[in-house]
């Protein structure tokens, strides 16, 4: 995330909207009403800056959709749809693959300057719109949202994939991959998550999403999954066939994802995927356990006898990220092994000890130093994700049951569409 919410395009209230459903779930009724009143009175959409399609979608639209589905309050539905409409110019490209940045005033679009010199769209960004955009169509009756994401799926389905892998950079003009860097961490991560979640959200009717997910997972396992000399299973990054033996904190969501997808795999693979999920989650826990603060670094390596630790100071920071505790939550729901609650509690204690400040919680610059150097930022995903996943880890399984809800990549719960299979209607489960 870039500093100072430069991705919001002039929209205010990122923290308020990202935390609406967390407040509601935790029964912080006064705070929720205050936040709702702010959305009604002060959340203005007539802004004129440049916005990240991805961040606005997962945080703002995701947060508003969840608030609507949990409460039925119309204001959230209306603002989500209006905001969705403001993102549509991002899709004005020859392929229909959206560019990453949209100008709310002019309706122009562009790619991030750092993405292959401004020539590329990013897999995790255009691949993480599906869940929210299908709900926007359902709540608005406007088919355009669903059409946009179905077209993205079609392009990805038909394109040639090296060894079945999806590189991170794609030209929205030519529809070709721009280079062969593959990662289940940053730049790639939530694309894979949205495949399995699209299948689950459709009440297991979206066969295309299911097939794409398991095919991608097989390619990842064949080419990226490794076991270190010390016995730790990790997912490496792939650069044109050469592996970087490291995992980013962001890649640690994958333990939870693989657990979530295990039960719908081919029968002979289910136990295998459960074990793979447990092993990856254990490795991510080790990245926490091997630091002085018991919080995990931004990236950790497996090389020259050092395992699951950052090897340079530029990767030693922790910015309140949720991915590791997210996997604990999914593994707990699947296995009820008390180790996941123990690990979650370790994270709670470490957050209290090293990240709590007078004004809230802050990231720290070095997880290997017991004297915390705060970065003075409380990321919005700390309230949306980190605290919510910890809360769910210690809640009963029927608190946002995984049978009825799917979490977007910002942990905003969206209802499973049971109407196809059980006649329950498409609204709140």
């Amino acid at each position: 995330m870039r500093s100072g919410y430069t991705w919001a395009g002039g929209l205010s209230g990122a923290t308020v909207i990202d935390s609406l459903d967390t407040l509601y779930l935790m029964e912080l009724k006064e705070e929720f009403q205050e936040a709702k009143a702010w959305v009604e009175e002060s959340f203005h959409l007539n802004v004129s800056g440049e916005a990240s399609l991805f961040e606005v979608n997962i945080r703002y639209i995701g947060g508003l959709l969840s608030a609507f589905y949990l409460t039925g309050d119309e204001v959230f539905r209306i603002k989500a749809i209006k905001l969705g409409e403001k993102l549509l110019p991002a899709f004005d490209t020859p392929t229909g693959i959206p560019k990453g940045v949209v100008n709310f005033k002019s309706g122009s679009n562009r790619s991030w300057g750092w993405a292959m010199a401004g020539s590329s769209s990013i897999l995790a960004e255009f691949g993480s719109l599906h869940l929210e955009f299908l709900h926007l169509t359902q709540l608005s009756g406007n088919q355009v949202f669903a059409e946009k994401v179905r077209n993205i799926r079609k392009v990805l389905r038909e394109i040639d994939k090296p060894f079945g892998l999806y590189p991170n950079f794609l030209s929205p003009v030519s529809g070709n991959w721009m280079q062969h860097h593959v990662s289940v961490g940053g730049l790639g991560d939530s694309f894979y998550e949205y495949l399995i979640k699209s299948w689950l959200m459709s009440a297991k009717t979206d066969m295309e999403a299911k097939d794409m997910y398991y095919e991608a997972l097989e390619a990842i396992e064949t080419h990226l999954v490794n076991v270190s000399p010390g016995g730790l299973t990790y997912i490496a990054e792939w650069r044109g066939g050469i592996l970087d033996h490291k995992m980013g904190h962001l890649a640690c969501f994958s333990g939870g994802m693989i657990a979530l997808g295990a039960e719908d795999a081919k029968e002979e693979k289910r136990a295998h995927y459960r074990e793979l999920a447990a092993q990856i989650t254990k490795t991510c826990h080790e990245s926490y356990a091997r630091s002085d603060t018991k919080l995990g670094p931004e990236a950790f390596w497996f090389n020259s006898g050092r395992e699951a630790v950052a090897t340079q100071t530029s990767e030693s920071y922790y910015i309140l990220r949720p991915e590791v505790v997210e996997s604990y939550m999914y593994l707990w729901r699947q296995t009820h092994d008390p180790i996941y609650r123990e690990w979650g509690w370790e994270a709670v204690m470490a957050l209290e000890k090293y990240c709590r400040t007078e004004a809230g919680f802050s990231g720290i610059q070095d997880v290997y130093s017991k004297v915390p150097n705060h970065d003075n930022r409380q990321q919005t995903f700390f309230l949306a994700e980190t605290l919510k996943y910890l809360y769910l880890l210690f809640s009963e399984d029927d608190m946002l049951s995984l049978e009825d809800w799917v979490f977007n990549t910002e942990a905003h719960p969206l209802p499973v569409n049971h109407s196809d299979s059980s006649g329950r209607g498409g609204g709140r489960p």
Side-chain angles (χ1 to χ4, degrees):
M1 212 185 74
R2 282 137 224 104
S3 61
Y5 300 146
T6 50
W7 45 260
L11 293 169
S12 57
T15 296
V16 178
I17 288 172
D18 229 0
S19 56
L20 282 166
D21 50 18
T22 304
L23 293 171
Y24 185 82
L25 288 170
M26 294 183 182
E27 298 186 37
L28 297 166
K29 291 177 179 160
E30 213 171 297
E31 291 85 348
F32 178 80
Q33 287 306 326
E34 202 179 322
K36 180 188 165 188
W38 183 87
V39 173
E40 285 176 323
E41 295 153 25
S42 307
F43 181 46
H44 303 300
L45 303 185
N46 54 340
V47 292
S48 57
E50 283 195 320
S52 161
L53 166 71
F54 170 71
E55 302 288 5
V56 169
N57 177 60
I58 66 169
R59 301 185 199 220
Y60 282 91
I61 292 177
L64 291 165
L65 288 172
S66 288
F68 170 69
Y69 282 117
L70 289 166
T71 67
D73 291 337
E74 267 304 276
V75 62
F76 300 128
R77 182 183 74 88
I78 291 162
K79 299 236 174 178
I81 293 164
K82 283 191 175 152
L83 200 45
E85 288 164 356
K86 291 181 81 73
L87 294 179
L88 291 174
F91 295 83
D92 294 339
T93 66
T95 58
I97 295 290
K99 293 187 177 178
V101 184
V102 61
N103 187 306
F104 279 152
K105 189 169 190 184
S106 67
S108 61
N109 63 29
R110 68 176 177 88
S111 295
W112 294 108
W114 50 265
M116 301 295 295
S119 65
S120 289
S121 295
I122 295 154
L123 180 67
E125 296 199 342
F126 65 78
S128 306
L129 303 168
H130 207 92
L131 303 180
E132 297 84 356
F133 273 51
L134 289 188
H135 277 283
L136 288 175
T137 280
Q138 197 173 316
L139 293 180
S140 67
N142 185 347
Q143 290 303 315
V144 69
F145 300 109
E147 284 161 11
K148 296 295 186 197
V149 292
R150 287 195 182 112
N151 177 64
I152 293 171
R153 175 90 60 83
K154 181 169 180 278
V155 171
L156 288 172
R157 183 98 195 151
E158 292 173 0
I159 193 172
D160 237 13
K161 291 168 273 290
F163 302 103
L165 297 165
Y166 290 83
N168 292 335
F169 294 105
L170 182 75
S171 165
V173 177
S174 69
N176 295 322
W177 301 118
M178 294 303 286
Q179 45 70 305
H180 285 181
H181 174 217
V182 176
S183 166
V184 180
L187 306 180
D189 49 13
S190 43
F191 160 67
Y192 305 100
E193 174 191 354
Y194 271 40
L195 291 175
I196 189 62
K197 288 179 174 179
S198 294
W199 157 251
L200 295 171
M201 195 178 83
S202 70
K204 305 189 180 182
T205 56
D206 183 351
M207 293 303 293
E208 182 180 58
K210 180 188 186 185
D211 292 345
M212 287 173 75
Y213 169 75
Y214 290 108
E215 285 161 19
L217 185 55
E218 286 200 14
I220 286 165
E221 194 168 5
T222 303
H223 298 287
L224 308 184
V225 171
N226 276 265
V227 180
S228 72
L232 297 179
T233 301
Y234 61 97
I235 305 179
E237 297 191 5
W238 191 84
R239 290 179 192 277
I242 297 161
L243 291 184
D244 279 346
H245 291 277
K246 75 165 192 179
M247 263 183 98
H249 194 294
L250 287 165
C252 282
F253 85 96
S254 59
M257 174 184 76
I258 293 166
L260 189 62
E263 69 180 81
D264 291 321
K266 293 178 186 140
E267 203 164 335
E268 66 272 15
K269 298 281 281 192
R270 288 174 198 170
H272 168 72
Y273 283 141
R274 285 196 189 105
E275 181 58 22
L276 180 61
Q279 289 300 327
I280 289 169
T281 303
K282 180 181 165 211
T283 297
C284 290
H285 173 258
E286 282 299 315
S287 78
Y288 278 51
R290 295 178 187 196
S291 83
D292 297 80
T293 56
K294 305 301 177 208
L295 292 166
E298 181 69 4
F300 48 94
W301 292 76
F302 301 84
N303 51 19
S304 59
R306 301 187 70 198
E307 297 187 357
V309 289
T311 54
Q312 47 206 42
T313 50
S314 62
E315 295 175 334
S316 296
Y317 61 89
Y318 172 71
I319 56 170
L320 308 173
R321 286 206 189 275
E323 290 76 20
V324 174
V325 297
E326 174 182 353
S327 285
Y328 296 168
M329 189 279 290
Y330 282 110
L331 271 288
W332 163 258
R333 287 269 178 113
Q334 189 174 77
T335 68
H336 293 120
D337 183 334
I339 194 71
Y340 298 112
R341 283 185 165 175
E342 288 169 29
W343 291 351
W345 191 246
E346 285 171 15
V348 170
M349 301 301 281
L351 283 163
E352 279 289 318
K353 187 167 181 183
Y354 295 106
C355 300
R356 188 187 270 284
T357 69
E358 283 175 23
F361 285 79
S362 164
I364 55 175
Q365 284 164 4
D366 184 5
V367 297
Y368 303 104
S369 165
K370 284 195 166 176
V371 182
N373 195 352
H374 291 120
D375 65 12
N376 298 322
R377 277 210 186 98
Q378 180 175 281
Q379 309 283 349
T380 77
F381 54 68
F382 177 66
L383 299 172
E385 298 186 76
T386 312
L387 293 183
K388 184 185 293 130
Y389 284 131
L390 284 166
Y391 187 74
L392 292 171
L393 173 61
F394 294 99
S395 299
E396 297 298 322
D397 288 4
D398 60 1
M399 166 74 76
L400 293 180
S401 155
L402 298 180
E403 299 291 311
D404 293 319
W405 297 91
V406 166
F407 294 93
N408 89 336
T409 195
E410 190 77 2
H412 295 306
L414 298 169
V416 170
N417 183 6
H418 288 293
S419 57
D420 300 342
S421 53
S422 64
R424 273 220 237 176
R428 295 191 298 288

